Each structure stands twice: as C-alpha cells, then as structure tokens.
Amino acid sequence: MSGIIDSVGSKSGIIGTTELGTVTSGNLSNSAIVYPAGSVVQVVGNSTNLTNGQSTAATLISQAITIVDYVNNDILITVDGLMRKSGGGTGGHGKLYITGGSLGSTTSGFKLADQSQYLDSNGNEELAGLSCWDLTPPSASQTYGLYLNVNSSLAISHRFSISIYEIKR
C-alpha cells in the first residue's frame, strides 16, 4: 500500500484500502463479534420500592436475563439494599440466598448470610451488598434472585436492587 495523505486528511494515490466512513449505528449482539475476555457483554437489572412487613420465606427481588453465550460466558449477580427489622425481637433472623442458574433455587441457592438480623432490635437496619458468580449457567434463559428464608418470628421491611452482568470468559 502506498500513497499520500496531506495535512487536511485528503488522500491521493492510496491503493488497497477500503474506506468505511462513519459508523452511525450497529448491533453489538451480533454473533460474529469476538469480545475479548473480561468484556461486559450485557447488563440487566431492576429495583424494588420499600416493602413492609415481610414475615414469610420469599424471593425479595429477581431479574430475568437471556444470556448471549451461556457456554462461553460467566454471570455476575450483585444485590444491594437494606433490611429493617420490623418484628421478631432479638431472636428473629433469616438466611439470604442468591438463586437461579446453576446456583439452585430457594434454600438450595448460594447462601450468603446465615443469621441476618439476629440479635438486632426491632427498627435496626442492615445494609446488604451481596454478589456471586454463576460460572456454569445451564441455559440461555435464566432468572436470578435474592431469597429470604425466615425463622418463625422475623418480620422485615426491605428495598433492593439487582444487577446481572454477562462477562466474556
């Protein structure tokens, strides 16, 4: 390839090049794109409003994702929020699990806290910043969530946000 480019970018005599112009839009989900390891392929998430009086086992927040390449990518799940004890006295407590994908469901999920809110008085708040990886998602369509398994006396108010990142392996 040879040629001349002057000070204002004009080209002359250039052989063997293709000018693509300015790309104004594109599709980053195209299967032909090769992402380098560690690239964030996509992020999905949502948040809840303050929910009062949760006293039974339940999924507190969840988010569905359609994984672009579940065989070659990993999933990072992060959950952030707060829990305020509204009942149960100092003995009330619960276990927190991140669920979905290969992590399992409800109490078979990835356990993050065994005695959340234990020995706290009613009205005390705990901030939660929880995360874990799903390194072997079983299929492209998954729903991840935060599950609370309460003992018989716990009641909480809560607000959470969940983010799910698909990361190129």
Side-chain angles (χ1 to χ4, degrees), residues 59-134:
T59 297
L60 304 181
I61 188 170
S62 65
Q63 175 65 52
I65 184 172
T66 301
I67 303 167
V68 174
D69 185 356
Y70 73 94
V71 174
N72 296 304
N73 294 345
D74 297 325
I75 303 298
L76 173 63
I77 306 101
T78 65
V79 180
D80 300 291
L82 70 86
M83 296 184 301
R84 179 183 309 123
K85 189 177 241 182
S86 56
T90 58
H93 64 280
K95 298 176 181 174
L96 291 172
Y97 300 84
I98 291 184
T99 61
S102 68
L103 304 175
S105 62
T106 64
T107 58
S108 69
F110 183 79
K111 184 168 44 172
L112 293 159
D114 197 41
Q115 306 225 347
S116 184
Q117 300 280 336
Y118 186 64
L119 296 180
D120 288 346
S121 300
N122 291 347
N124 282 5
E125 290 183 352
E126 285 186 5
L127 297 175
L130 312 166
S131 64
C132 74
W133 289 89
D134 186 353

